[in-house]
Amino acid sequence: MGGETGITEKDHTLESFFRENPYFLVPWACLAGLQFVFQIPCIAAWCDGRGLEAFGAQRAIHLTAFVLIMQFALHGAIAVYHDRLEEGGYKIQDRPYRFQVEETSTRSSAIIMVSMLSYGLTPMNQGEASLLQIFIGYSILLLVHDFWFYWVHRLAHTKRFYALIHKTHHKWKQPMVFAAYFIRSPSAVLQEHACLIPCMIFLPVPLYSFMLYQYLGAPMSMLEHCGFHVDELPLPYLSMVQWPLLGRPKVGHVMTILGGGWSLLLGSHSVEHHDYHHLNFNGNYGLSYSYLDKLFGTYVEPESFVGTPNEALLQA
């Protein structure tokens, strides 16, 4: 099993993890230091004038706990229903799903803790917001982050940067739930925080838009890495009826709604799209949507799943 993912058996405790990764916290310490500039009187006054206040430790801890619980809950759900999913033809790759993944869960948990807690210092607009304002802010985060992620992701797949910031994530050629946050600290900061923190400070994004983005986005990212066609799963009871214009409701319909409906216009970046990307190391670089891949010639149809791995990156 270990040979399929490049992951070897060893001590998987957090103590061992930090001993083997002594610089793990450096990017997060730098990020925290940068955010302390908002305590400088003139900058703090500017934030006050815009109604910006720090997200806060309590909210950050709640968010961290939620995301940590969700990764174990979703992995557990896959384990419980694994045989039924395979028998139903929902498995994407023909490789077995790995259940015992202590090393992956350790790194994933460590990344989630520092990643979510780091937002505690981020100034956000905590004033009252209408449902429309929350939707607009949520849409801004979805669209801006998707655009940012696409280009950073493509940069991470160049030989110069791949080994430095992205190779760890691609140890999983067949992704699974914990693989979503199986990344290095520089990658997490660059792909997410470098985009979202400026969005919260400079764009009209209310606090509740950010919370919606994180509380929905983190589990959906895990599902994107689960290795099964979860978007094709029928919804209990509702799928018993053929609905006009909709057909039989599936999980994918719910995911479209939770994504603000933008995938109807911009194209969805599905579980299968991302599975192809992990298997072949190229193409389908988007986060939530496929329009940028189609626009810039990096889109790969899921039906043409068997491809040619990027050998240059395999040697990086």
Side-chain angles (χ1 to χ4, degrees):
M1 291 285 189
E4 293 180 359
T5 62
I7 297 173
T8 57
E9 297 298 328
K10 55 185 176 182
D11 184 3
H12 304 306
T13 63
L14 275 174
E15 179 183 358
S16 174
F17 173 79
F18 284 112
R19 186 169 58 250
E20 294 172 5
N21 298 274
Y23 303 109
F24 176 81
L25 294 176
V26 171
W28 304 105
C30 293
L31 181 62
L34 286 173
Q35 293 193 87
F36 269 112
V37 303
F38 298 110
Q39 304 303 316
I40 299 174
C42 60
I43 299 179
W46 179 84
C47 289
D48 290 340
R50 292 176 58 89
L52 300 176
E53 299 178 28
F55 185 57
Q58 185 175 9
R59 289 195 184 99
I61 291 171
H62 289 169
L63 176 60
T64 303
F66 172 79
V67 179
L68 284 172
I69 291 170
M70 283 304 301
Q71 66 170 351
F72 286 97
L74 291 174
H75 181 68
I78 294 293
V80 170
Y81 294 103
H82 175 269
D83 291 350
R84 183 182 298 182
L85 290 169
E86 276 213 334
E87 291 168 3
Y90 293 103
K91 189 78 168 62
I92 296 176
Q93 295 189 38
D94 58 3
R95 304 181 183 192
Y97 186 89
R98 289 195 62 190
F99 300 108
Q100 296 180 334
V101 285
E102 293 179 67
E103 179 186 2
T104 310
S105 65
T106 299
R107 174 176 285 276
S108 175
S109 298
I111 283 288
I112 287 171
M113 285 189 284
V114 291
S115 175
M116 300 304 167
L117 288 174
S118 68
Y119 286 118
L121 297 171
T122 305
M124 301 186 187
N125 187 342
Q126 301 191 25
E128 292 186 4
S130 66
L131 290 176
L132 178 59
Q133 289 173 319
I134 293 172
F135 174 75
I136 291 173
Y138 181 52
S139 297
I140 288 173
L141 293 179
L142 285 167
L143 300 175
V144 173
H145 192 202
D146 182 77
F147 184 86
W148 173 269
F149 183 91
Y150 175 83
W151 291 109
V152 172
H153 196 184
R154 284 196 66 173
L155 180 68
H157 274 264
T158 60
K159 286 195 70 175
R160 176 170 295 183
F161 294 102
Y162 179 75
L164 178 65
I165 62 176
H166 201 52
K167 185 175 182 178
T168 297
H169 185 62
H170 273 279
K171 284 184 178 180
W172 284 98
K173 295 184 180 70
Q174 177 195 265
M176 42 79 68
V177 171
F178 289 110
Y181 286 92
F182 188 74
I183 53 180
R184 298 188 65 211
S185 292
S187 178
V189 173
L190 184 61
Q191 290 184 336
E192 180 176 330
H193 298 71
C195 175
L196 295 189
I197 291 176
C199 283
M200 298 309 301
I201 297 171
F202 299 109
L203 299 181
V205 181
L207 168 68
Y208 289 109
S209 299
F210 173 80
M211 294 179 70
L212 194 64
Y213 187 75
Q214 291 292 353
Y215 277 97
L216 294 179
M220 289 178 71
S221 177
M222 295 170 192
L223 288 176
E224 189 178 74
H225 286 82
C226 75
F228 291 86
H229 293 284
V230 290
D231 48 341
E232 294 296 322
L233 289 172
L235 289 176
Y237 304 112
L238 293 177
S239 60
M240 296 172 65
V241 180
Q242 189 84 14
W243 297 77
L245 304 178
L246 187 64
R248 299 188 183 278
K250 302 176 182 178
V251 171
H253 294 125
V254 176
M255 296 172 73
T256 298
I257 293 171
L258 294 180
W262 289 105
S263 61
L264 297 175
L265 296 174
L266 304 177
S268 174
H269 183 83
S270 68
V271 180
E272 195 169 11
H273 285 115
H274 202 66
D275 229 279
Y276 174 92
H277 175 80
H278 270 264
L279 181 64
N280 294 290
F281 291 28
N282 52 36
N284 298 341
Y285 296 106
L287 176 64
S288 303
Y289 311 111
S290 59
Y291 78 105
L292 289 171
D293 280 299
K294 293 177 179 177
L295 189 61
F296 293 101
T298 54
Y299 178 77
V300 181
E301 285 287 350
E303 287 77 9
S304 56
F305 193 78
V306 178
T308 303
N310 188 325
E311 297 297 336
L313 292 185
L314 285 173
Q315 301 302 321

